[in-house]
Amino acid sequence: MTRAFLSSGLSPLPASLAAALLLAGCSNSGPSVSGSASESAGSASSLSNLWERVRSLGFESGKTHEMPALGLMADAFMADMRARELNDYEITGAVFGRDADGTIAALPAQLAASLAPPRASLAALDQDELRARTPLDAAHMVYAAPVLLALFPRKGWEVHAIDDRHIDPRFDTPFFNRNRPPPKYDEELHLRYMEALAISAIYTNAVFAAIDERLGTNRLADPDEARSRVLAEFQAIPVGTLRAMLDDAASQVVGGHFTTDLTGSGNIHFYHSGAGDFVADARGLTWTRAGGVWFGDSRINGQSVNLRLASTASLTQREAQSGTQGTDANARVEGSGGVSVGR
């Protein structure tokens, strides 16, 4: 099983993006107090226009921005994943890969079995450099994996349970496609796939609700501080509590039955008779229950939850530099074995 976490050759972290608030358009001498009435009026008008521009950018003292907590928490976990040099292919492929005996373990069992190896491998790394990379210890890295699984953008059913055929591009022609044998359906993989996604959505909802409760109503400086606080509060949740949250999520999909939507709508869509309706698309996982969105689409526990920020400048700067947030939407299943939560 692949359970490595971080390579021993950790590269230096990029410098964090600091928010810089620069006001332009003021002359060195400032507005004149002498001259004609028209000049004074023009100066007052210029100051008024400048102040309006500052207000529109949210830079004035005391302004509070209400930002979706789900998005800021997702940003924190995704950033930590990138800092640990992970990608969605590694985690998704590992969760749905087969063990040596050919079976696919349930998600809680995989996480429980993944605790010891990373603890040993992380102990061999430079601890100062490790702490600069991530605030999470080995156990919290393991229990962050289902959160990431729930956040990854997805584009349609990518599991081989639906079609396990590997087509050589040289033979991707009408004749060979017409005469190629039918795909082999893998019932275990299909069920484990839906089960793991459902568990990760329910678990992530519980984790984010706990983090929101810990953050309280305090106003944070900017998205960078929000990212830091979210990870710190996750690290502060006892591992036993996280394990209980995961077990509770798993218990909600035990029994009952799954119904799969394979109409080709471009997303992953299935329903569990006990837990509710689940959709995985470019937004990550959305969980609907009791007639309303319970998790996803800016909702946690069925409520639109916001965090209070003094500035959104750092988030705007990150988006401008990266062009997007999250990971590649064309996630797919690759690899085999265990839960990979680091390279």
Side-chain angles (χ1 to χ4, degrees), residues 203-263:
Y203 167 79
T204 303
N205 176 72
V207 169
F208 281 11
I211 292 174
D212 176 63
E213 184 177 352
R214 287 172 169 269
L215 289 174
T217 59
N218 295 327
R219 190 174 75 156
L220 304 173
D222 53 31
D224 287 335
E225 184 185 356
R227 171 191 285 184
S228 176
R229 286 287 305 278
V230 164
L231 293 175
E233 296 301 344
F234 177 70
Q235 172 65 36
I237 300 175
V239 176
T241 301
L242 295 174
R243 186 181 297 117
M245 288 178 177
L246 191 70
D247 289 341
D248 178 69
S251 70
Q252 296 186 47
V253 297
V254 171
H257 63 271
F258 285 100
T259 302
T260 305
D261 177 8
L262 294 177
T263 58

Tab-separated table of all heavy atoms in Angstrom, residues 203-263:
chain	number	residue	atom	x	y	z
A	203	TYR	N	-18.358	13.360	6.517
A	203	TYR	CA	-17.258	13.611	7.450
A	203	TYR	C	-16.752	15.051	7.329
A	203	TYR	O	-16.544	15.741	8.345
A	203	TYR	CB	-16.136	12.619	7.155
A	203	TYR	CG	-14.816	12.914	7.813
A	203	TYR	CD1	-14.585	12.594	9.153
A	203	TYR	CD2	-13.759	13.479	7.086
A	203	TYR	CE1	-13.352	12.848	9.747
A	203	TYR	CE2	-12.535	13.727	7.668
A	203	TYR	CZ	-12.330	13.414	9.004
A	203	TYR	OH	-11.105	13.660	9.588
A	204	THR	N	-16.551	15.527	6.094
A	204	THR	CA	-16.037	16.878	5.892
A	204	THR	C	-17.019	17.911	6.428
A	204	THR	O	-16.611	18.938	6.999
A	204	THR	CB	-15.750	17.126	4.404
A	204	THR	OG1	-14.824	16.135	3.940
A	204	THR	CG2	-15.154	18.505	4.179
A	205	ASN	N	-18.301	17.670	6.259
A	205	ASN	CA	-19.306	18.570	6.826
A	205	ASN	C	-19.140	18.664	8.341
A	205	ASN	O	-19.177	19.755	8.917
A	205	ASN	CB	-20.709	18.061	6.485
A	205	ASN	CG	-21.794	18.898	7.120
A	205	ASN	OD1	-22.052	20.028	6.732
A	205	ASN	ND2	-22.442	18.332	8.153
A	206	ALA	N	-18.939	17.526	9.005
A	206	ALA	CA	-18.764	17.522	10.460
A	206	ALA	C	-17.473	18.232	10.864
A	206	ALA	O	-17.445	18.996	11.841
A	206	ALA	CB	-18.770	16.088	10.981
A	207	VAL	N	-16.400	17.995	10.117
A	207	VAL	CA	-15.113	18.625	10.425
A	207	VAL	C	-15.202	20.144	10.253
A	207	VAL	O	-14.764	20.912	11.124
A	207	VAL	CB	-14.003	18.050	9.524
A	207	VAL	CG1	-12.722	18.891	9.632
A	207	VAL	CG2	-13.708	16.605	9.905
A	208	PHE	N	-15.790	20.592	9.155
A	208	PHE	CA	-15.893	22.033	8.910
A	208	PHE	C	-16.806	22.700	9.930
A	208	PHE	O	-16.561	23.842	10.335
A	208	PHE	CB	-16.401	22.285	7.496
A	208	PHE	CG	-15.332	22.132	6.436
A	208	PHE	CD1	-14.105	21.588	6.728
A	208	PHE	CD2	-15.574	22.543	5.128
A	208	PHE	CE1	-13.119	21.440	5.759
A	208	PHE	CE2	-14.595	22.420	4.147
A	208	PHE	CZ	-13.373	21.870	4.473
A	209	ALA	N	-17.861	22.007	10.349
A	209	ALA	CA	-18.741	22.567	11.381
A	209	ALA	C	-17.982	22.730	12.695
A	209	ALA	O	-18.143	23.732	13.401
A	209	ALA	CB	-19.963	21.677	11.576
A	210	ALA	N	-17.129	21.736	13.033
A	210	ALA	CA	-16.330	21.820	14.257
A	210	ALA	C	-15.318	22.958	14.176
A	210	ALA	O	-15.099	23.685	15.155
A	210	ALA	CB	-15.617	20.489	14.502
A	211	ILE	N	-14.678	23.130	13.020
A	211	ILE	CA	-13.717	24.220	12.856
A	211	ILE	C	-14.419	25.567	12.970
A	211	ILE	O	-13.913	26.499	13.620
A	211	ILE	CB	-12.995	24.098	11.494
A	211	ILE	CG1	-12.098	22.859	11.495
A	211	ILE	CG2	-12.170	25.348	11.199
A	211	ILE	CD1	-11.452	22.572	10.152
A	212	ASP	N	-15.591	25.685	12.354
A	212	ASP	CA	-16.336	26.949	12.428
A	212	ASP	C	-16.698	27.277	13.870
A	212	ASP	O	-16.605	28.444	14.296
A	212	ASP	CB	-17.603	26.849	11.573
A	212	ASP	CG	-18.466	28.095	11.676
A	212	ASP	OD1	-18.000	29.176	11.273
A	212	ASP	OD2	-19.591	27.989	12.189
A	213	GLU	N	-17.081	26.275	14.629
A	213	GLU	CA	-17.425	26.511	16.039
A	213	GLU	C	-16.200	26.977	16.820
A	213	GLU	O	-16.295	27.851	17.692
A	213	GLU	CB	-17.990	25.233	16.647
A	213	GLU	CG	-18.472	25.386	18.074
A	213	GLU	CD	-19.105	24.125	18.629
A	213	GLU	OE1	-19.310	23.171	17.858
A	213	GLU	OE2	-19.400	24.084	19.846
A	214	ARG	N	-15.047	26.415	16.500
A	214	ARG	CA	-13.820	26.799	17.194
A	214	ARG	C	-13.381	28.221	16.816
A	214	ARG	O	-12.847	28.952	17.643
A	214	ARG	CB	-12.695	25.811	16.870
A	214	ARG	CG	-12.854	24.445	17.546
A	214	ARG	CD	-11.811	23.464	17.036
A	214	ARG	NE	-11.776	22.248	17.827
A	214	ARG	CZ	-11.004	22.047	18.892
A	214	ARG	NH1	-10.186	23.015	19.295
A	214	ARG	NH2	-11.033	20.926	19.568
A	215	LEU	N	-13.614	28.599	15.564
A	215	LEU	CA	-13.226	29.942	15.130
A	215	LEU	C	-14.102	31.019	15.759
A	215	LEU	O	-13.657	32.151	15.966
A	215	LEU	CB	-13.298	30.043	13.605
A	215	LEU	CG	-12.221	29.287	12.821
A	215	LEU	CD1	-12.510	29.363	11.325
A	215	LEU	CD2	-10.839	29.845	13.118
A	216	GLY	N	-15.353	30.691	16.032
A	216	GLY	CA	-16.258	31.648	16.643
A	216	GLY	C	-16.589	32.785	15.694
A	216	GLY	O	-16.600	32.632	14.476
A	217	THR	N	-16.839	33.956	16.251
A	217	THR	CA	-17.246	35.110	15.442
A	217	THR	C	-16.147	36.164	15.339
A	217	THR	O	-16.409	37.301	14.952
A	217	THR	CB	-18.507	35.758	16.048
A	217	THR	OG1	-18.219	36.159	17.401
A	217	THR	CG2	-19.671	34.781	16.050
A	218	ASN	N	-14.931	35.819	15.684
A	218	ASN	CA	-13.829	36.776	15.613
A	218	ASN	C	-13.556	37.181	14.169
A	218	ASN	O	-13.670	36.365	13.245
A	218	ASN	CB	-12.551	36.168	16.214
A	218	ASN	CG	-12.701	35.910	17.698
A	218	ASN	OD1	-13.392	36.653	18.390
A	218	ASN	ND2	-12.069	34.852	18.196
A	219	ARG	N	-13.178	38.419	13.982
A	219	ARG	CA	-12.830	38.901	12.649
A	219	ARG	C	-11.368	38.584	12.380
A	219	ARG	O	-10.491	38.920	13.172
A	219	ARG	CB	-13.077	40.408	12.525
A	219	ARG	CG	-12.949	40.896	11.090
A	219	ARG	CD	-13.334	42.355	10.939
A	219	ARG	NE	-12.306	43.253	11.457
A	219	ARG	CZ	-12.157	44.512	11.058
A	219	ARG	NH1	-12.976	45.012	10.145
A	219	ARG	NH2	-11.234	45.271	11.581
A	220	LEU	N	-11.103	37.939	11.255
A	220	LEU	CA	-9.747	37.570	10.863
A	220	LEU	C	-9.183	38.641	9.938
A	220	LEU	O	-9.928	39.372	9.281
A	220	LEU	CB	-9.750	36.209	10.177
A	220	LEU	CG	-10.376	35.065	10.997
A	220	LEU	CD1	-10.480	33.801	10.154
A	220	LEU	CD2	-9.551	34.809	12.251
A	221	ALA	N	-7.864	38.712	9.856
A	221	ALA	CA	-7.233	39.781	9.081
A	221	ALA	C	-7.507	39.638	7.590
A	221	ALA	O	-7.925	40.573	6.923
A	221	ALA	CB	-5.727	39.798	9.342
A	222	ASP	N	-7.257	38.463	7.044
A	222	ASP	CA	-7.387	38.251	5.605
A	222	ASP	C	-7.426	36.741	5.346
A	222	ASP	O	-7.326	35.947	6.278
A	222	ASP	CB	-6.226	38.911	4.844
A	222	ASP	CG	-4.857	38.481	5.362
A	222	ASP	OD1	-4.726	37.331	5.839
A	222	ASP	OD2	-3.912	39.279	5.295
A	223	PRO	N	-7.574	36.315	4.087
A	223	PRO	CA	-7.624	34.875	3.801
A	223	PRO	C	-6.376	34.119	4.228
A	223	PRO	O	-6.452	32.931	4.525
A	223	PRO	CB	-7.815	34.833	2.281
A	223	PRO	CG	-8.553	36.089	1.975
A	223	PRO	CD	-7.957	37.111	2.898
A	224	ASP	N	-5.220	34.776	4.250
A	224	ASP	CA	-4.017	34.093	4.713
A	224	ASP	C	-4.135	33.711	6.188
A	224	ASP	O	-3.746	32.614	6.593
A	224	ASP	CB	-2.785	34.977	4.498
A	224	ASP	CG	-2.394	35.059	3.036
A	224	ASP	OD1	-2.730	34.116	2.286
A	224	ASP	OD2	-1.767	36.053	2.637
A	225	GLU	N	-4.643	34.646	7.001
A	225	GLU	CA	-4.841	34.310	8.411
A	225	GLU	C	-5.935	33.261	8.559
A	225	GLU	O	-5.835	32.363	9.398
A	225	GLU	CB	-5.204	35.541	9.236
A	225	GLU	CG	-5.316	35.207	10.719
A	225	GLU	CD	-5.794	36.362	11.583
A	225	GLU	OE1	-5.977	37.476	11.067
A	225	GLU	OE2	-5.989	36.140	12.797
A	226	ALA	N	-6.979	33.353	7.732
A	226	ALA	CA	-8.045	32.352	7.785
A	226	ALA	C	-7.490	30.970	7.485
A	226	ALA	O	-7.808	29.987	8.156
A	226	ALA	CB	-9.154	32.707	6.797
A	227	ARG	N	-6.634	30.887	6.474
A	227	ARG	CA	-6.012	29.611	6.115
A	227	ARG	C	-5.219	29.049	7.289
A	227	ARG	O	-5.339	27.867	7.624
A	227	ARG	CB	-5.097	29.828	4.905
A	227	ARG	CG	-4.235	28.641	4.561
A	227	ARG	CD	-3.177	28.996	3.538
A	227	ARG	NE	-3.729	29.127	2.203
A	227	ARG	CZ	-2.986	29.363	1.115
A	227	ARG	NH1	-1.681	29.509	1.229
A	227	ARG	NH2	-3.545	29.455	-0.069
A	228	SER	N	-4.424	29.896	7.906
A	228	SER	CA	-3.610	29.464	9.037
A	228	SER	C	-4.477	29.012	10.211
A	228	SER	O	-4.219	27.971	10.831
A	228	SER	CB	-2.675	30.602	9.466
A	228	SER	OG	-1.933	30.258	10.605
A	229	ARG	N	-5.520	29.786	10.519
A	229	ARG	CA	-6.382	29.446	11.647
A	229	ARG	C	-7.169	28.167	11.399
A	229	ARG	O	-7.368	27.347	12.313
A	229	ARG	CB	-7.349	30.604	11.925
A	229	ARG	CG	-6.697	31.815	12.585
A	229	ARG	CD	-6.355	31.551	14.048
A	229	ARG	NE	-7.513	31.116	14.803
A	229	ARG	CZ	-8.431	31.926	15.321
A	229	ARG	NH1	-8.332	33.242	15.131
A	229	ARG	NH2	-9.441	31.450	16.019
A	230	VAL	N	-7.646	27.976	10.174
A	230	VAL	CA	-8.409	26.763	9.844
A	230	VAL	C	-7.549	25.522	10.084
A	230	VAL	O	-7.987	24.556	10.720
A	230	VAL	CB	-8.907	26.813	8.387
A	230	VAL	CG1	-9.355	25.426	7.910
A	230	VAL	CG2	-10.059	27.799	8.253
A	231	LEU	N	-6.318	25.537	9.601
A	231	LEU	CA	-5.442	24.380	9.781
A	231	LEU	C	-5.070	24.195	11.245
A	231	LEU	O	-4.976	23.060	11.736
A	231	LEU	CB	-4.182	24.541	8.928
A	231	LEU	CG	-4.402	24.499	7.413
A	231	LEU	CD1	-3.101	24.790	6.685
A	231	LEU	CD2	-4.973	23.154	6.985
A	232	ALA	N	-4.866	25.308	11.957
A	232	ALA	CA	-4.544	25.214	13.382
A	232	ALA	C	-5.704	24.610	14.169
A	232	ALA	O	-5.488	23.782	15.067
A	232	ALA	CB	-4.186	26.590	13.933
A	233	GLU	N	-6.930	25.008	13.845
A	233	GLU	CA	-8.092	24.463	14.549
A	233	GLU	C	-8.318	22.998	14.192
A	233	GLU	O	-8.751	22.207	15.029
A	233	GLU	CB	-9.345	25.284	14.232
A	233	GLU	CG	-9.294	26.734	14.711
A	233	GLU	CD	-9.089	26.870	16.213
A	233	GLU	OE1	-9.284	25.871	16.939
A	233	GLU	OE2	-8.724	27.962	16.665
A	234	PHE	N	-8.029	22.623	12.955
A	234	PHE	CA	-8.127	21.201	12.586
A	234	PHE	C	-7.098	20.388	13.354
A	234	PHE	O	-7.409	19.305	13.880
A	234	PHE	CB	-7.921	21.039	11.077
A	234	PHE	CG	-7.940	19.603	10.626
A	234	PHE	CD1	-9.117	18.868	10.634
A	234	PHE	CD2	-6.781	18.990	10.175
A	234	PHE	CE1	-9.138	17.538	10.216
A	234	PHE	CE2	-6.791	17.666	9.753
A	234	PHE	CZ	-7.976	16.933	9.771
A	235	GLN	N	-5.868	20.894	13.440
A	235	GLN	CA	-4.824	20.211	14.201
A	235	GLN	C	-5.213	20.074	15.668
A	235	GLN	O	-4.848	19.101	16.336
A	235	GLN	CB	-3.501	20.964	14.067
A	235	GLN	CG	-2.374	20.482	14.950
A	235	GLN	CD	-1.924	19.074	14.625
A	235	GLN	OE1	-1.907	18.677	13.476
A	235	GLN	NE2	-1.552	18.308	15.647
A	236	ALA	N	-5.986	21.038	16.193
A	236	ALA	CA	-6.367	21.015	17.609
A	236	ALA	C	-7.483	20.017	17.899
A	236	ALA	O	-7.728	19.688	19.072
A	236	ALA	CB	-6.803	22.412	18.052
A	237	ILE	N	-8.172	19.524	16.880
A	237	ILE	CA	-9.211	18.516	17.119
A	237	ILE	C	-8.527	17.191	17.435
A	237	ILE	O	-7.696	16.717	16.651
A	237	ILE	CB	-10.113	18.351	15.881
A	237	ILE	CG1	-10.812	19.662	15.537
A	237	ILE	CG2	-11.155	17.258	16.109
A	237	ILE	CD1	-11.632	19.613	14.262
A	238	PRO	N	-8.832	16.558	18.562
A	238	PRO	CA	-8.180	15.282	18.901
A	238	PRO	C	-8.414	14.227	17.825
A	238	PRO	O	-9.479	14.169	17.198
A	238	PRO	CB	-8.854	14.891	20.219
A	238	PRO	CG	-9.375	16.173	20.786
A	238	PRO	CD	-9.763	17.005	19.604
A	239	VAL	N	-7.398	13.403	17.600
A	239	VAL	CA	-7.505	12.359	16.579
A	239	VAL	C	-8.668	11.418	16.885
A	239	VAL	O	-9.368	10.967	15.981
A	239	VAL	CB	-6.184	11.578	16.476
A	239	VAL	CG1	-6.309	10.423	15.485
A	239	VAL	CG2	-5.053	12.506	16.044
A	240	GLY	N	-8.887	11.153	18.173
A	240	GLY	CA	-10.004	10.291	18.542
A	240	GLY	C	-11.346	10.871	18.115
A	240	GLY	O	-12.258	10.146	17.706
A	241	THR	N	-11.461	12.203	18.183
A	241	THR	CA	-12.691	12.861	17.746
A	241	THR	C	-12.855	12.745	16.238
A	241	THR	O	-13.956	12.481	15.734
A	241	THR	CB	-12.678	14.338	18.160
A	241	THR	OG1	-12.546	14.434	19.579
A	241	THR	CG2	-13.959	15.041	17.719
A	242	LEU	N	-11.763	12.931	15.496
A	242	LEU	CA	-11.824	12.783	14.045
A	242	LEU	C	-12.189	11.359	13.655
A	242	LEU	O	-12.991	11.140	12.736
A	242	LEU	CB	-10.477	13.171	13.413
A	242	LEU	CG	-10.066	14.636	13.556
A	242	LEU	CD1	-8.654	14.849	13.017
A	242	LEU	CD2	-11.047	15.553	12.839
A	243	ARG	N	-11.631	10.396	14.364
A	243	ARG	CA	-11.961	8.994	14.076
A	243	ARG	C	-13.433	8.723	14.352
A	243	ARG	O	-14.103	8.025	13.571
A	243	ARG	CB	-11.083	8.067	14.924
A	243	ARG	CG	-11.253	6.581	14.601
A	243	ARG	CD	-10.381	5.718	15.495
A	243	ARG	NE	-8.972	6.001	15.287
A	243	ARG	CZ	-8.162	6.491	16.210
A	243	ARG	NH1	-8.618	6.782	17.413
A	243	ARG	NH2	-6.888	6.698	15.942
A	244	ALA	N	-13.953	9.309	15.430
A	244	ALA	CA	-15.375	9.132	15.745
A	244	ALA	C	-16.252	9.790	14.682
A	244	ALA	O	-17.302	9.250	14.306
A	244	ALA	CB	-15.680	9.717	17.118
A	245	MET	N	-15.837	10.952	14.174
A	245	MET	CA	-16.579	11.614	13.100
A	245	MET	C	-16.623	10.747	11.849
A	245	MET	O	-17.653	10.626	11.183
A	245	MET	CB	-15.935	12.964	12.758
A	245	MET	CG	-16.122	14.053	13.797
A	245	MET	SD	-15.250	15.565	13.266
A	245	MET	CE	-15.698	16.689	14.589
A	246	LEU	N	-15.483	10.140	11.525
A	246	LEU	CA	-15.426	9.289	10.334
A	246	LEU	C	-16.280	8.037	10.515
A	246	LEU	O	-16.995	7.617	9.593
A	246	LEU	CB	-13.978	8.904	10.039
A	246	LEU	CG	-13.755	8.235	8.688
A	246	LEU	CD1	-13.944	9.226	7.554
A	246	LEU	CD2	-12.369	7.606	8.609
A	247	ASP	N	-16.207	7.436	11.699
A	247	ASP	CA	-17.025	6.250	11.976
A	247	ASP	C	-18.511	6.584	11.910
A	247	ASP	O	-19.323	5.795	11.407
A	247	ASP	CB	-16.676	5.668	13.343
A	247	ASP	CG	-15.298	5.009	13.372
A	247	ASP	OD1	-14.784	4.687	12.283
A	247	ASP	OD2	-14.742	4.844	14.478
A	248	ASP	N	-18.883	7.765	12.415
A	248	ASP	CA	-20.283	8.174	12.360
A	248	ASP	C	-20.723	8.380	10.915
A	248	ASP	O	-21.843	7.988	10.535
A	248	ASP	CB	-20.488	9.468	13.151
A	248	ASP	CG	-21.922	9.962	13.088
A	248	ASP	OD1	-22.805	9.302	13.666
A	248	ASP	OD2	-22.168	11.004	12.445
A	249	ALA	N	-19.847	8.988	10.091
A	249	ALA	CA	-20.173	9.175	8.678
A	249	ALA	C	-20.338	7.831	7.979
A	249	ALA	O	-21.270	7.641	7.180
A	249	ALA	CB	-19.077	9.994	7.994
A	250	ALA	N	-19.449	6.889	8.294
A	250	ALA	CA	-19.541	5.563	7.677
A	250	ALA	C	-20.820	4.838	8.089
A	250	ALA	O	-21.437	4.132	7.281
A	250	ALA	CB	-18.317	4.727	8.047
A	251	SER	N	-21.235	5.035	9.352
A	251	SER	CA	-22.444	4.348	9.831
A	251	SER	C	-23.686	4.824	9.084
A	251	SER	O	-24.681	4.091	8.997
A	251	SER	CB	-22.622	4.578	11.329
A	251	SER	OG	-22.972	5.938	11.609
A	252	GLN	N	-23.637	6.037	8.532
A	252	GLN	CA	-24.801	6.564	7.826
A	252	GLN	C	-24.981	5.963	6.435
A	252	GLN	O	-26.043	6.129	5.826
A	252	GLN	CB	-24.707	8.088	7.731
A	252	GLN	CG	-24.742	8.787	9.076
A	252	GLN	CD	-24.805	10.293	8.954
A	252	GLN	OE1	-25.598	10.829	8.175
A	252	GLN	NE2	-23.974	10.994	9.724
A	253	VAL	N	-23.944	5.298	5.930
A	253	VAL	CA	-24.074	4.653	4.617
A	253	VAL	C	-24.008	3.136	4.726
A	253	VAL	O	-23.865	2.452	3.722
A	253	VAL	CB	-23.004	5.173	3.624
A	253	VAL	CG1	-23.187	6.648	3.359
A	253	VAL	CG2	-21.608	4.901	4.141
A	254	VAL	N	-24.100	2.621	5.939
A	254	VAL	CA	-24.182	1.175	6.132
A	254	VAL	C	-25.630	0.756	5.924
A	254	VAL	O	-26.554	1.384	6.445
A	254	VAL	CB	-23.701	0.770	7.539
A	254	VAL	CG1	-24.008	-0.698	7.802
A	254	VAL	CG2	-22.216	1.033	7.693
A	255	GLY	N	-25.822	-0.309	5.160
A	255	GLY	CA	-27.183	-0.718	4.856
A	255	GLY	C	-27.784	0.170	3.791
A	255	GLY	O	-27.097	1.003	3.185
A	256	GLY	N	-29.049	0.050	3.558
A	256	GLY	CA	-29.676	0.841	2.513
A	256	GLY	C	-29.164	0.417	1.152
A	256	GLY	O	-28.547	-0.638	0.974
A	257	HIS	N	-29.402	1.231	0.159
A	257	HIS	CA	-28.932	0.893	-1.177
A	257	HIS	C	-28.583	2.152	-1.946
A	257	HIS	O	-29.085	3.239	-1.677
A	257	HIS	CB	-29.993	0.094	-1.941
A	257	HIS	CG	-31.266	0.859	-2.167
A	257	HIS	ND1	-32.312	0.851	-1.263
A	257	HIS	CD2	-31.664	1.678	-3.186
A	257	HIS	CE1	-33.294	1.620	-1.711
A	257	HIS	NE2	-32.927	2.128	-2.873
A	258	PHE	N	-27.665	2.000	-2.906
A	258	PHE	CA	-27.243	3.089	-3.776
A	258	PHE	C	-28.011	3.027	-5.092
A	258	PHE	O	-28.268	1.951	-5.622
A	258	PHE	CB	-25.743	2.998	-4.078
A	258	PHE	CG	-24.852	3.424	-2.946
A	258	PHE	CD1	-24.244	2.479	-2.125
A	258	PHE	CD2	-24.598	4.765	-2.715
A	258	PHE	CE1	-23.406	2.864	-1.099
A	258	PHE	CE2	-23.767	5.160	-1.672
A	258	PHE	CZ	-23.170	4.211	-0.866
A	259	THR	N	-28.333	4.190	-5.615
A	259	THR	CA	-28.890	4.317	-6.956
A	259	THR	C	-27.979	5.245	-7.743
A	259	THR	O	-27.725	6.371	-7.318
A	259	THR	CB	-30.316	4.893	-6.923
A	259	THR	OG1	-31.144	4.055	-6.126
A	259	THR	CG2	-30.889	4.988	-8.333
A	260	THR	N	-27.480	4.768	-8.880
A	260	THR	CA	-26.506	5.526	-9.653
A	260	THR	C	-27.149	6.173	-10.869
A	260	THR	O	-27.893	5.529	-11.601
A	260	THR	CB	-25.365	4.600	-10.130
A	260	THR	OG1	-24.799	3.934	-9.004
A	260	THR	CG2	-24.292	5.397	-10.836
A	261	ASP	N	-26.845	7.443	-11.064
A	261	ASP	CA	-27.295	8.170	-12.249
A	261	ASP	C	-26.187	8.115	-13.295
A	261	ASP	O	-25.124	8.699	-13.112
A	261	ASP	CB	-27.611	9.623	-11.876
A	261	ASP	CG	-28.017	10.464	-13.076
A	261	ASP	OD1	-28.191	9.891	-14.165
A	261	ASP	OD2	-28.160	11.692	-12.925
A	262	LEU	N	-26.431	7.404	-14.391
A	262	LEU	CA	-25.442	7.287	-15.461
A	262	LEU	C	-26.000	7.866	-16.759
A	262	LEU	O	-25.789	7.328	-17.838
A	262	LEU	CB	-25.049	5.820	-15.658
A	262	LEU	CG	-24.302	5.168	-14.494
A	262	LEU	CD1	-24.046	3.697	-14.782
A	262	LEU	CD2	-22.991	5.883	-14.228
A	263	THR	N	-26.711	8.982	-16.649
A	263	THR	CA	-27.343	9.572	-17.826
A	263	THR	C	-26.378	10.404	-18.649
A	263	THR	O	-26.774	10.962	-19.671
A	263	THR	CB	-28.529	10.450	-17.397
A	263	THR	OG1	-28.060	11.469	-16.498
A	263	THR	CG2	-29.596	9.623	-16.709
